[in-house]
Amino acid sequence: FARFTVPARAWFFIKMKVIRTTENIKVPSGVKVSVTARVVTVKGKRGTLKRDFKHLALDIKATNRAVHVTKYFGIRKELAAVRTVCSHIENMIKGVTYGYEYKLQTLHAHFPINVIVPADGKKVSVKNFLGEKTTRMIPMAAGVKAIGGGGGSDTLLIQGNDIEAVSKCAALVQQSCAARHKDIRKFLDGIYVSNRGTVEAME
């Protein structure tokens, strides 16, 4: 019997495409969403967030109380971007409504870690990590504020409307206190994320 083989280039055309895929997002009262050339702007009581989705071939439309994300003739991996965009927009809506807050806790065995936050909350200074004389400076991203204390001198709060900016700043603070060239099972000193939530209580 003759064996039928398909050229490697032809597999691209064999993949099944879905004619139309749509996801809808409800917009709560007090929040306004506008879309201009796949640039989504979300306005709420806590501020304004903007995100660019021009790198994706999607159709994004905003009405008074909903946002519609549509993909035409997409294969499986392209359809996954529809839900991804919806999740980003939902995070933006939640950010301008309630805000995001990361709580970090210092942990030390012998040398107490000193966390210094100025009044404007634009940067975080970490001193005396493992007894080192070096001062670690972590700048906060735009729209992110650091608050010292918050229940104790060993607690640090990072607040903002953009979940990616807030989580990135929290990660930078945690990574700045990594025990280099030591057994991390023994040297547990550092600053760790202990809780994630919102600035304002969710209804």
Side-chain angles (χ1 to χ4, degrees), residues 18-193:
V18 180
I19 296 177
R20 184 173 182 266
T21 302
T22 304
E23 289 275 351
N24 300 322
I25 308 168
K26 293 183 179 180
V27 179
S29 59
V31 178
K32 183 179 180 181
V33 180
S34 59
V35 182
T36 304
R38 284 178 288 181
V39 177
V40 180
T41 304
V42 181
K43 296 182 180 180
K45 61 181 180 180
R46 290 184 55 87
T48 304
L49 291 177
K50 182 180 291 186
R51 186 163 184 136
D52 191 346
F53 295 104
K54 289 184 178 180
H55 62 286
L56 297 172
L58 299 173
D59 186 14
I60 306 175
K61 294 182 179 180
T63 59
N64 291 333
R65 296 293 86 187
V67 179
H68 309 282
V69 182
T70 307
K71 172 67 179 178
Y72 294 97
F73 299 102
I75 60 178
R76 182 178 178 182
K77 289 186 177 180
E78 295 173 344
L79 299 180
V82 175
R83 185 62 243 174
T84 300
V85 171
C86 293
S87 297
H88 284 310
I89 298 175
E90 288 173 350
N91 288 337
M92 294 167 66
I93 293 174
K94 185 177 177 181
V96 298
T97 306
Y98 303 105
Y100 291 99
E101 179 182 85
Y102 275 54
K103 182 179 179 181
L104 294 91
Q105 201 83 17
T106 62
L107 178 65
H108 61 271
H110 184 269
F111 296 100
I113 301 175
N114 298 328
V115 180
I116 302 173
V117 181
D120 57 0
K122 294 296 183 181
K123 62 181 179 179
V124 176
S125 303
V126 181
K127 295 184 177 181
N128 201 37
F129 173 67
L130 293 178
E132 297 177 2
K133 300 300 181 182
T134 305
T135 301
R136 292 165 167 80
M137 305 284 293
I138 303 97
M140 297 291 102
V144 179
K145 183 178 181 181
I147 302 175
S153 59
D154 57 349
T155 304
L156 174 66
L157 299 177
I158 298 180
Q159 299 177 349
N161 296 339
D162 189 353
I163 187 173
E164 293 191 7
V166 174
S167 59
K168 180 182 178 181
C169 292
L172 291 175
V173 173
Q174 179 172 333
Q175 292 172 1
S176 68
C177 294
R180 308 287 183 185
H181 311 294
K182 292 181 173 63
D183 187 356
I184 59 175
R185 297 171 296 179
K186 179 67 175 177
F187 293 87
L188 300 175
D189 296 35
I191 304 176
Y192 300 96
V193 176

Side-chain angles (χ1 to χ4, degrees), residues 1-11 14:
F1 296 95
R3 186 178 180 181
F4 178 71
T5 58
V6 179
R9 297 178 182 178
W11 285 112
I14 294 176

